[in-house]
Amino acid sequence: MTSPLPLWASNLAVFDTETTGIDTSQARIVSATIALLGPDEEVVERYDWLLNPGIEIPAAAERVHGISTQIARASGIDAAVGVQQIVVQLAEMIERGFPIVAYNAPYDLTLLRAEAERYGVPWPADLSPVIDPLIIDKQFDRYRKGKRTLEAVSAHHGVEIGTAHDAGDDAIAAGRVLQRIARKYADVIPSDLEDLHRAQIAWAAAQAASYQEFRRRQDPSFVADGSWPLR
């Protein structure tokens, strides 16, 4: 029997980006989506951006998300404008009472903050609550074998991703994954959003410490950063 959806998971502001690279201090946003999911996993609102990042999009990044430098320059809006709109929309979602859901939140949020600093866009004083399905999936199903990519975790929870590495499809899939996890573990997940946000800070630190211990068996100098939701 499926548990009812916890109240905090009934409406979720999901967020994802596609970028020029993996270094959050240097990479630029190419596309982004913020969408609002309702209690039946339906998309209630959706906002999409295509940005001209102002730099060449590396071939490796283009192979991932399919957006070329030519496409971004021809059809993308100015990066400074887009970054400001994204930050404002995230802040508005929080003001409306919706938590921000981002899979592997430290990547997207840290990169967005770096972009905001790059273009002089004010950053919200307190961007919370944030919910990270990756952290929560690891916490409540920690011994499951296999990868924890969004594709793998979506498949495990029976969520279809339309086009992987499309900001919109990835964001929506992450929200649906979270809603299914929330139903499954409704009796043990904190019911208060602020408590859940704080719990994920501790869980992320513990998960990173465990991973660091594992990796140091081969590389004694390996360091895993457990900061969450920003690094």
Side-chain angles (χ1 to χ4, degrees), residues 80-93:
V81 174
V83 168
Q84 181 177 29
Q85 290 176 353
I86 294 165
V87 172
V88 168
Q89 187 63 59
L90 283 179
E92 183 181 303
M93 287 294 191

